[in-house]
Amino acid sequence: MSPFALFDLEPAPALDAAALKERFARATAESHPDKFAQAPEAERLAVDARYAALNQAYQTLIDPRARLLALYELTKGQKPADIQRIPPGTMDLFKEVGEMCRELDSYLERKRATTGRLERAGLMGEELTLQDSLVALRMKLEQFGATVDGEIAALDTRWRAGDKDLNALEAVYRKYSYLSRWRQQLEEREIELLTGE
C-alpha cells in the first residue's frame, strides 16, 4: 500500500503538513502497540506491522524529497533512472557547495593537527571567515529551496488538474535531492567546525 493510501490522501507533489500530522496522530492512536499489549501474539504482530508502516509512510510524506520519489514510483511503477547529471540551473550552487566543503575539510584537517592554544588562536580569523561564508551559502540554499518549493506548488496545481508530467516531477525531485544533500554536507561540517569534533 502506498504511503498516500495509508492516510487516504490523493497522491500529489504537495500536501498540507498539519493535516498529515493530524491524520498520523489519529491513525497511530488507534493502532498503538501499547493498546494491544494483552492481545494474542498474531494480533500484536499485525498491530506492530501497521504501526511501523504508518511511521514509515509519515516519514516519507513529510519529507518533500521522499514524497516526490514515492509519487514518481507510484505513478510510473519504477524509480527514476540513476542519472548523475546536475539539474538545470544548479551548476553554480553545485560548484559553490563543493568549494566550500573542500575549504572546510582543509581547515578542519589543519585544526585537528594543531595541538597548542596559540596555534589554534592563530586559526580563529580563518574560522570566522569560513563561518561567514557558510552562513552566506546557507542563505543561498534557502533561497534555492524556496524556489524549489514554488516549483512543487506549481507542479501540484497542474498535477491535481490532471497534468501528471513525470518529467517535471523527476526534475523537481532531483533538485530537492541535491538541495537535501548539500544541506546535509554543510551541516556535518558546520557541526564539526563549531564543536571541534
Side-chain angles (χ1 to χ4, degrees):
M1 180 175 275
S2 83
F4 298 97
L6 272 174
F7 292 108
D8 197 29
L9 294 169
E10 176 187 351
L15 56 74
D16 180 344
L20 174 64
K21 190 173 185 176
E22 184 180 311
R23 286 177 188 225
F24 174 69
R26 200 170 39 247
T28 55
E30 294 168 1
S31 63
H32 196 280
D34 290 349
K35 286 185 166 185
F36 297 86
Q38 302 303 319
E41 183 178 2
E43 189 176 352
R44 281 196 322 268
L45 291 174
V47 167
D48 286 346
R50 172 141 173 85
Y51 192 77
L54 288 168
N55 272 310
Q56 180 60 47
Y58 177 78
Q59 294 305 318
T60 297
L61 294 176
I62 203 69
D63 173 21
R65 187 198 62 79
R67 180 177 58 250
L68 293 169
L69 177 59
L71 179 61
Y72 185 93
E73 290 174 353
L74 179 65
T75 306
K76 183 141 187 187
Q78 66 187 38
K79 290 184 177 194
D82 188 25
I83 300 170
Q84 295 299 319
R85 76 175 165 231
I86 298 160
T90 61
M91 182 57 82
D92 289 343
L93 275 174
F94 182 83
K95 288 179 180 177
E96 203 169 336
V97 170
E99 288 170 12
M100 176 59 70
C101 287
R102 281 189 295 282
E103 286 178 38
L104 287 167
D105 289 345
S106 173
Y107 172 79
L108 290 167
E109 188 175 317
R110 287 194 317 277
K111 185 176 178 179
R112 283 189 292 270
T114 60
T115 54
R117 285 185 173 185
L118 194 54
E119 277 183 294
R120 283 194 176 238
L123 294 175
M124 282 308 294
E126 184 179 357
E127 184 166 324
L128 292 173
T129 300
L130 284 170
Q131 286 176 354
D132 289 344
S133 298
L134 190 56
V135 167
L137 181 54
R138 287 175 77 73
M139 288 175 64
K140 284 183 183 179
L141 289 180
E142 292 311 310
Q143 290 171 344
F144 178 68
T147 300
V148 175
D149 287 341
E151 290 178 24
I152 291 172
L155 177 62
D156 186 68
T157 300
R158 293 191 316 270
W159 193 274
R160 291 177 192 273
D163 179 10
K164 305 210 180 329
D165 183 351
L166 286 175
N167 290 329
L169 177 63
E170 183 177 0
V172 173
Y173 160 71
R174 292 197 185 283
K175 286 180 183 180
Y176 222 99
S177 293
Y178 272 93
L179 179 62
S180 297
R181 191 173 314 139
W182 292 335
R183 284 175 171 162
Q184 181 182 6
Q185 289 170 339
L186 293 177
E187 186 176 300
E188 288 169 358
R189 287 163 176 87
E190 186 175 27
I191 288 170
E192 188 173 351
L193 187 65
L194 296 174
T195 64
E197 297 174 6

